[in-house]
Amino acid sequence: METAVHEATTAQAATPPAARGRLKLGAILLARGKIDEAELDRALRLQAASSRPEKLGSLLSTLGIVSARDVAMAIAEQGGVTYVEASAFPEIPILEERISARFLRDARALPLEEDEDSLTIAVADPFDDFVRHSFELISNRQIHRVVAIGADIDAAIERLYGSGRTAVAQLAQGDLEARIDTDALGDDVQQLKDLASEAPVIRLVSLLITNALEARASDIHVEPFENRLIVRYRIDGVLHEIESPPKRLAAAVISRIKIMANLDIAERRLPQDGRIRLRIQGKDIDLRVSTVPTMHGESVVMRILDKGGVALNFEKLGFAPDILAKFKAALAQPNGILLVTGPTGSGKTTTLYTALDGLNQPDVKILTVEDPVEYQMAGINQIQVKPQIDLTFANALRSIVRQDPDIIMIGEIRDLETAEIAVQAALTGHLVLSTLHTNDAPATVSRLLDMGVDDYLLTSTLVGVLAQRLVRTLCTSCREPHTLDEATAKDIGLHRVTPEPRPVVYKAVGCGQCSHTGFTGRVCIAEMMPLTEPIRRLVMGKANASELRKAALTEGMLPMYDDGLRKVAAGVTTVEEVLRATREG
């Protein structure tokens, strides 16, 4: 651990923080702009009405008004002490032979650094003098306190002094397991509903969601198996298993999620879809919930839709200038079909929303048909597909053409009927944007022809195809440079994108800033194929996908793999990431 923590705390006055005059926590958060008067009043009313009042900071964090980090920083200011991040915590336990994990949990304190005369501890509450006196007796040293997030302290205590269980497991163990065994409930729906409405279950589900947001997860998977309940977060496109509640709590946790999504908890035999709207850490969050019956219960997936976290900017999404210029040229066409293709989770919808955001002007009418509507956009008429009442893509498209739109966005072309209506809309003067599941840009043309779209209609309406994938971006705090030898660089293909015979690339390492994954966030790699005259002639001549690809490359299309290599040469990602994204089926 860096000695900066100790140096920052030696300036701390010897007077106990509790003895100093101090601003109220609410006033500090107001001054920092983290809350407004209405939110503070709401929290204070709830605090006053509770039979067992919760501390204001904890209550504000639980309500999702401010983040735990903002509360901890305000408490540090209130106590006149330093705030530290979890990255400052030690890698090995300190005073392990003198203190127990139970004492540290009860005190919510973690030893950080020691020398002959002093001991620095991270605490959640700097005003608890009992903790300071206890550490003075244990260590026989002067105690310096710093403030850290309580959940970070809990996790570090378990990692360094305990059995390694997370806060989720602690909560389940402490509040639920002793009282609840949902395996014994059977089909008692009312008892299950009552159980799912209990405070411990509510806190457990809230903790799973909050932790997912802090981990930058895009999806939460809750999966019951024969002997265990597995919870996994998808972070930057990769699933990571976390410490999960015990199997006996599966029915309670899943029922709580279904209640939040307004789903029928009595129906466990059929798939269900719903939506949860929450305000967490000062942000409005939508969760798209999907349940399916499995052998050992219902599997639940929650897709986190954070509009504030989506950058509707092509440059921030990672589009190279030459590819973006071709894509924008296709968007500028008065009519025609422009397709974005790739597998599930490749960022197609975000690309289309970014395009619509740029096209959204007062003199342009835009209509979308989506399943589901992922983000609501001001000034755009968005229609949610509802197959149960026969509001399908095709039926919705027939109606919206009569709404006199300039631009139509179709969530996905899934069948010939939808494709034919899209073609007709393009022929009658509309610009149609949509997505398709294909591996690359040239294969999209073959896919539409295989669906049954006539070649002469396709060449008359299709203006371009953008194929894309997402690759994880390297953490700039820990990435390490590595010089490739000339043979390896040539074998990879880097000679096509950089003049350096022995280029420097970077590899992932892992640190506290990136949760030891080596990556933070994702960017797009893409290939753009405008439908030029040579390509149109090949389509009319029944050319296959490989012939179309060869022609597209001749016409100047940069392959997606080469776009990825440019990002490798720029130190944005790794060769392994590009290979994973472009060569996985």
Side-chain angles (χ1 to χ4, degrees):
M1 193 193 75
E2 295 180 3
T3 57
V5 172
H6 176 70
E7 291 170 359
T9 54
T10 53
Q12 184 182 328
T15 308
R20 304 187 194 117
R22 62 176 186 264
L23 282 172
K24 290 185 176 181
L25 185 66
I28 294 172
L29 290 168
L30 280 171
R32 286 172 168 244
K34 301 300 181 182
I35 58 173
D36 56 35
E37 292 282 356
E39 289 170 330
L40 178 59
D41 288 343
R42 174 190 167 205
L44 291 172
R45 285 197 305 271
L46 286 171
Q47 187 184 41
S50 175
S51 57
R52 297 176 63 185
E54 193 174 355
K55 289 184 178 179
L56 180 63
S58 177
L59 183 60
L60 288 167
S61 180
T62 302
L63 291 172
I65 295 173
V66 292
S67 68
R69 185 175 185 270
D70 290 331
V71 170
M73 293 179 75
I75 290 172
E77 180 181 334
Q78 186 185 28
V81 298
T82 306
Y83 166 79
V84 297
E85 297 280 4
S87 57
F89 291 174
E91 292 298 323
I92 58 173
I94 296 171
L95 299 179
E96 186 180 18
E97 69 286 354
R98 299 192 198 178
I99 52 178
S100 67
R102 181 175 179 180
F103 167 75
L104 292 175
R105 287 192 205 103
D106 292 341
R108 216 170 196 186
L110 179 73
L112 297 187
E113 189 176 356
E114 64 173 339
D115 57 27
E116 291 181 0
D117 302 313
S118 65
L119 172 69
T120 300
I121 60 172
V123 294
D125 180 6
F127 309 111
D128 189 340
D129 284 329
F130 174 77
V131 172
R132 180 172 62 86
H133 291 314
S134 298
F135 273 96
E136 283 177 345
L137 290 171
I138 291 168
S139 66
N140 197 28
R141 295 181 176 96
Q142 184 182 0
I143 303 302
H144 298 295
R145 284 171 287 184
V146 296
V147 169
I149 296 170
D152 290 346
I153 293 173
D154 294 338
I157 292 169
E158 287 305 305
R159 174 172 60 85
L160 296 171
Y161 301 88
S163 59
R165 291 176 299 173
T166 64
V168 170
Q170 289 177 46
L171 181 57
Q173 183 75 24
D175 284 337
L176 296 171
E177 268 199 285
R179 302 189 291 112
I180 297 171
D181 185 354
T182 56
D183 290 340
L185 292 177
D187 294 322
D188 190 338
V189 174
Q190 186 56 49
Q191 190 177 348
L192 195 57
K193 187 179 292 185
D194 293 341
L195 180 61
S197 300
E198 287 198 7
V201 179
I202 293 171
R203 288 204 302 273
L204 183 57
V205 173
S206 296
L207 186 61
L208 290 174
I209 295 171
T210 303
N211 287 351
L213 287 169
E214 290 178 351
R216 300 179 296 102
S218 60
D219 301 85
I220 305 169
H221 295 245
V222 182
E223 303 160 315
F225 291 92
E226 185 176 7
N227 299 315
R228 59 191 294 236
L229 177 69
I230 294 178
V231 178
R232 296 189 288 176
Y233 294 160
R234 188 177 294 280
I235 303 169
D236 294 334
V238 178
L239 281 171
H240 298 268
E241 185 175 340
I242 66 162
E243 189 75 23
S244 306
K247 172 66 167 66
R248 69 180 67 188
L249 305 181
V253 170
I254 291 168
S255 295
R256 173 61 191 164
I257 295 169
K258 290 174 72 175
I259 288 171
M260 293 171 71
N262 293 317
L263 301 179
D264 182 2
I265 68 168
E267 180 54 78
R268 306 179 199 174
R269 301 164 301 168
L270 295 173
Q272 296 186 68
D273 294 302
R275 200 164 195 151
I276 300 171
R277 288 180 172 85
L278 298 171
R279 184 171 174 81
I280 296 177
Q281 297 178 356
K283 296 189 293 185
D284 292 318
I285 304 294
D286 274 10
L287 289 95
R288 199 173 77 208
V289 181
S290 170
T291 72
V292 295
T294 65
M295 285 290 292
H296 304 290
E298 289 178 284
S299 174
V300 178
V301 176
M302 292 180 277
R303 166 67 58 86
I304 299 172
L305 305 174
D306 176 13
K307 186 177 181 181
V310 176
L312 298 181
N313 179 293
F314 284 118
E315 287 76 15
K316 288 183 180 178
L317 293 177
F319 281 87
D322 53 343
I323 295 172
L324 182 57
K326 292 179 181 179
F327 185 64
K328 285 186 172 180
L331 282 174
Q333 298 296 315
N335 54 66
I337 299 174
L338 176 58
L339 297 175
V340 180
T341 75
T344 302
S346 59
K348 302 186 298 295
T349 302
T350 302
T351 296
L352 284 181
Y353 275 127
T354 305
L356 290 179
D357 188 59
L359 294 168
N360 189 12
Q361 302 294 332
D363 59 342
V364 176
K365 178 162 184 174
I366 302 174
L367 277 163
T368 75
V369 185
E370 304 172 63
D371 183 21
V373 174
E374 293 200 7
Y375 301 107
Q376 296 178 25
M377 301 186 73
I380 295 177
N381 298 279
Q382 296 171 276
I383 300 170
Q384 168 75 56
V385 169
K386 295 177 181 175
Q388 62 269 28
I389 59 171
D390 204 31
L391 182 60
T392 62
F393 276 113
N395 290 340
L397 280 170
R398 288 192 187 93
S399 299
I400 68 171
V401 169
R402 294 192 290 272
Q403 288 277 312
D404 188 32
D406 297 294
I407 298 168
I408 299 169
M409 194 270 270
I410 308 168
E412 183 185 344
I413 293 179
R414 296 178 178 175
D415 50 42
L416 176 60
E417 188 178 18
T418 306
E420 287 178 336
I421 298 171
V423 167
Q424 291 301 319
L427 287 171
T428 52
H430 304 89
L431 177 63
V432 180
L433 311 180
S434 190
T435 71
L436 206 62
H437 289 269
T438 57
N439 287 332
D440 57 24
T444 305
V445 176
S446 300
R447 173 73 188 280
L448 290 168
L449 293 172
D450 290 342
M451 270 188 185
V453 178
D454 292 326
D455 51 10
Y456 67 92
L457 290 176
L458 188 61
T459 55
S460 301
T461 55
L462 190 63
V463 295
V465 180
L466 177 82
Q468 68 176 65
R469 299 286 191 281
L470 294 177
V471 294
R472 292 183 292 172
T473 53
L474 284 162
C475 173
T476 54
S477 298
C478 63
R479 64 178 185 175
E480 284 186 356
H482 175 61
T483 303
L484 293 178
D485 60 75
E486 194 168 345
T488 303
K490 194 167 184 178
D491 185 52
I492 294 168
L494 279 167
H495 65 284
R496 297 196 297 269
V497 298
T498 176
E500 294 293 328
R502 302 180 72 237
V504 174
V505 299
Y506 289 82
K507 59 182 180 180
V509 177
C511 66
Q513 297 293 323
C514 58
S515 302
H516 301 282
T517 63
F519 299 93
T520 55
R522 291 185 291 175
V523 294
C524 174
I525 59 173
E527 61 184 25
M528 177 66 196
M529 184 185 79
L531 229 69
T532 59
E533 281 305 317
I535 295 175
R536 285 192 170 94
R537 286 196 294 270
L538 284 172
V539 173
M540 293 297 292
K542 312 294 184 185
N544 59 35
S546 61
E547 291 171 323
L548 290 173
R549 183 167 190 81
K550 186 176 179 181
L553 293 172
T554 303
E555 291 287 298
M557 181 184 82
L558 182 78
M560 189 190 307
Y561 178 69
D562 285 13
D563 185 38
L565 289 180
R566 291 196 297 193
K567 290 179 171 62
V568 170
V572 174
T573 189
T574 66
V575 174
E576 292 79 9
E577 270 296 294
V578 175
L579 289 170
R580 180 185 65 83
T582 57
R583 296 186 180 178
E584 279 187 350

